[in-house]
Amino acid sequence: MSKNVTNMVAWCVIALASFVFTVESAAQSTRYEEIEWIQLMPKDDLDALLNPPEYLTEIEDGSEQDTLDSLDAKPFENDKDKRYQQALSSARVIDSYNNKKIRVPGFIVPLESEEGKRISEFFVVPYFGACLHMPPPPPNQIIYVKFEQGVELESLYDAFWFEGKIIINTVENELGTSAYELKLDRVLPYEE
């Protein structure tokens, strides 16, 4: 092989490798880490919530005792029960998620809407009815979003995928408090 052909082949290999690296870098910069909600809370909060006090099983859904205020008024007998109560209102976060691009499934709790069903400010929550029909999830299980384009919401039962950069920021509203905020890039109908 002549020296010119060898140099041309070497240049083509370098150019191709550079192109592949550039495309791969660009692809990685737009990738989102798909997360589950429990990844946003410290393990000890999760453990506490998974071990509720026994008397809670005796409370009828929707009754006067089925509220956070009622729970706050109850004196707790032991450290396990106290820890459960703390986890219900925990704003403790996972610092490693700050400024990370994530993809998370969830439901919308509208805070502000424009003309009809276009929602521009909302909480994202892990399950339907959170904040509306029952006590809200802990703040570390609520994500605040302000999205100028708005999201078309046909029904509160609709689940979505939310993609964007998550930041640690506490936002309070009469419907709940969030420990995270999402700078939303896009929202898609939920499909497994």
Side-chain angles (χ1 to χ4, degrees):
M1 212 186 291
S2 75
K3 186 174 183 179
N4 285 341
V5 172
T6 303
N7 286 342
M8 186 186 288
V9 169
W11 182 85
C12 286
V13 169
I14 290 169
L16 182 59
S18 176
F19 175 74
V20 168
F21 177 76
T22 301
V23 169
E24 180 65 24
S25 294
Q28 284 193 8
S29 69
T30 59
R31 287 191 185 145
Y32 300 92
E33 178 184 342
E34 190 173 310
I35 65 166
E36 294 184 27
W37 282 93
I38 59 173
Q39 291 174 262
L40 295 175
M41 69 171 31
K43 185 178 179 334
D44 60 325
D45 279 355
L46 178 60
D47 291 344
L49 291 173
L50 292 175
N51 293 296
E54 289 186 30
Y55 69 84
L56 289 180
T57 59
E58 299 166 7
I59 296 175
E60 185 178 328
D61 284 344
S63 70
E64 285 185 24
Q65 293 82 27
D66 191 23
T67 66
L68 277 180
D69 290 338
S70 175
L71 190 60
D72 287 343
K74 179 156 180 58
F76 287 97
E77 311 291 318
N78 58 50
D79 289 341
K80 178 186 163 215
D81 292 354
K82 288 177 187 173
R83 182 63 188 101
Y84 176 81
Q85 183 184 30
Q86 291 168 347
L88 285 175
S89 58
S90 178
R92 294 171 54 224
V93 295
I94 304 298
D95 291 328
S96 63
Y97 280 105
N98 196 33
N99 290 310
K100 189 173 254 189
K101 288 185 165 202
I102 66 158
R103 180 176 204 248
V104 65
F107 294 87
I108 291 176
V109 175
L111 301 176
E112 189 175 303
S113 63
E114 301 167 8
E115 295 183 29
K117 298 178 183 174
R118 199 163 221 28
I119 311 300
S120 58
E121 187 175 354
F122 53 92
F123 284 140
V124 178
V125 294
Y127 52 87
F128 168 75
C131 303
L132 296 175
H133 305 298
M134 57 186 72
N140 59 20
Q141 293 292 279
I142 300 177
I143 300 172
Y144 170 78
V145 176
K146 186 163 184 130
F147 191 54
E148 305 247 343
Q149 297 95 304
V151 175
E152 199 70 36
L153 184 64
E154 295 297 321
S155 167
L156 293 175
Y157 291 100
D158 294 342
F160 296 93
W161 282 107
F162 299 91
E163 297 177 343
K165 186 184 341 180
I166 194 166
I167 59 173
I168 295 170
N169 184 33
T170 301
V171 175
E172 293 184 30
N173 180 284
E174 62 212 27
L175 293 177
T177 300
S178 67
Y180 294 99
E181 182 174 345
L182 187 65
K183 301 299 183 188
L184 192 62
D185 290 331
R186 67 183 193 160
V187 59
L188 304 162
Y190 179 80
E191 295 174 9
E192 285 190 60

